[in-house]
Amino acid sequence: MLVWAGFLTTPSVAQTAADSLAIVSARWEMKADDRGVVSRCAAIEQLYGGPQYVSVVEVCPRRLQSGIGVSKTMKTISELAREYHALVAINGSYYNMTEGNSVCFLKIDDVVADSTEMREFALCVTGAVKVKKGKLRILPWNRDLERHYKKKKGVVLASGPLLLEKGRYADLSTCDSGFVATKHPRSAIAVTKDKRVLFITVDGRSPGNALGMRLPELAHLIKVMGGKEALNLDGGGSTMLYLDGEILNHPSDNGRFDHQGERRIPNIIYYYYKK
């Protein structure tokens, strides 16, 4: 089981020792099963300037396999998870909410399904997630890498920005400052030093319940949790975390602080149990 550490390290942003202690001392509601999955959820009264609700699913990848699930039509995360027999799933990358296609690079083996739009590079795309033979990796990404990417095996989905690289805070200066500094619901994936994978959601847009986070705050949260590599995913109303038939977080699209506000999305990142 992962032991959260690193709470004495303070990044060069506005997070404080009090924020770090609020994370490690929170009353986390924890559930574990025999398939290598641990979930933690906590309502934290005061974190990064207000109330936060954080949900985390920790996966032991030696016992499960990962995938990137894609749909030709937008579906809820619950629908996509059932379709791909997922035990754990999180919403994927950015997409056109009208047409339903990804607006970030998506390559499935030797087929390029979508390319990253220039607006997305300027806004936030500095990373990608790759899944090959059931193994998940987080990669740096940019326009030049995308243009010359020729590998034919595995699925690659660009997103961003990168939040942590080799245990250090990633450079966010190339991303849109408003996107970085505004508090939103957020989704992220992370890999720890001992190779466990974290799916993380932060709720928001619910005064009194969940304020949401800026990207430096999200990076700090993940570092406190032991993250070594971390990638931000699509957020806002798309922020959703699924575990074994249930939505753990509080999707904001319905304007209520409950688990019913699932948005329809075109892709997920997931883990499934292979017997």
Side-chain angles (χ1 to χ4, degrees), residues 100-117:
N101 62 290
S102 173
V103 293
C104 296
F105 183 81
L106 172 61
K107 187 173 185 181
I108 304 170
D109 293 326
D110 60 348
V111 177
V112 177
D114 293 290
S115 298
T116 305
E117 296 181 359

Side-chain angles (χ1 to χ4, degrees), residues 56-82:
V56 184
V57 175
E58 171 195 325
V59 174
C60 177
R62 292 188 300 272
R63 305 183 67 181
L64 294 99
Q65 295 203 332
S66 63
I68 297 175
V70 178
S71 176
K72 292 182 179 179
T73 60
M74 291 186 290
K75 299 178 181 179
T76 67
I77 193 171
S78 296
E79 291 171 329
L80 285 169
R82 288 193 294 269

